[in-house]
Amino acid sequence: MESVVLSPEAARAITVKERLIGISRDVSTWAIENGLLLKEARDNGYHREWGYETFDHAIEALQNQGHLDYGPRNARNFILVVEMIQKQGPDQAEAAKIPISKLREVASLKSPKDQRLLLEACTNSNVAEVQRMAKRLRAEAAGEDVDPLSPYTI
């Protein structure tokens, strides 16, 4: 078998791609762990131990002090992702294989049935497709007509 010699640029391109993929997995793992800690802090009222009246005030203060890179809304989103994972059953290691942007879309759905459906679709769909599916499922849940070909009534 003949060995292939790569140019320095091609070799570096492969290294960069592999590292980007690895970092993406690390980000999902980090986001899930972050969500678990936020959920623990919220559920146990640790914000009072930290000297804050509410969980949101604590997160906002930590953000303003430069300790967190997100505010209360994103903190709640991390918690929603963790709660969805806990309800839907993929273990933490399996869930970490799914990009956080997809997990966030799944967690945005209120129906456990819709969450399961979208979670299963995550494996074979890109982020844009998952976002479109989530948008459609949210519209259906709100009772909106999601058939683009349905006739308009005048």
Side-chain angles (χ1 to χ4, degrees):
M1 179 181 258
E2 207 174 302
S3 65
V4 176
V5 177
L6 298 175
S7 70
E9 293 82 16
R12 179 65 184 156
I14 291 169
T15 301
V16 168
K17 180 181 177 184
E18 289 171 351
R19 190 67 192 121
L20 287 170
I21 292 168
I23 288 170
S24 179
R25 282 191 211 111
D26 292 346
V27 167
S28 290
T29 300
W30 168 84
I32 292 168
E33 182 179 355
N34 193 54
L36 287 166
L37 292 170
L38 287 164
K39 182 175 176 354
E40 178 184 351
R42 184 201 63 191
D43 291 354
N44 292 302
Y46 293 163
H47 59 274
R48 288 185 292 276
E49 295 293 326
W50 302 337
Y52 300 99
E53 193 173 309
T54 68
F55 176 76
D56 282 1
H57 288 147
I59 298 303
E60 190 171 344
L62 290 169
Q63 180 188 30
N64 291 338
Q65 294 164 10
H67 300 302
L68 296 179
D69 194 27
Y70 52 83
R73 181 175 180 215
N74 282 333
R76 289 189 298 274
N77 288 340
F78 285 122
I79 293 170
L80 279 175
V81 167
V82 165
E83 289 175 336
M84 179 276 300
I85 290 168
Q86 290 172 340
K87 289 176 188 169
Q88 294 303 328
D91 67 24
Q92 194 172 331
E94 283 301 308
K97 293 177 184 175
I98 301 169
I100 190 63
S101 53
K102 291 181 183 181
L103 290 173
R104 173 63 190 101
E105 289 298 326
V106 174
S108 75
L109 302 172
K110 292 190 181 358
S111 161
K113 178 181 154 226
D114 289 346
Q115 286 180 344
R116 269 191 307 282
L117 180 72
L118 193 56
L119 197 55
E120 290 169 7
C122 282
T123 331
N124 301 317
S125 305
N126 64 38
V127 174
E129 291 167 333
V130 170
Q131 289 171 333
R132 280 192 297 277
M133 287 184 262
K135 183 177 181 180
R136 183 180 179 97
L137 289 167
R138 283 191 298 272
E140 287 175 357
E144 296 174 17
D145 183 8
V146 292
D147 182 359
L149 299 178
S150 68
Y152 290 96
T153 306
I154 300 181

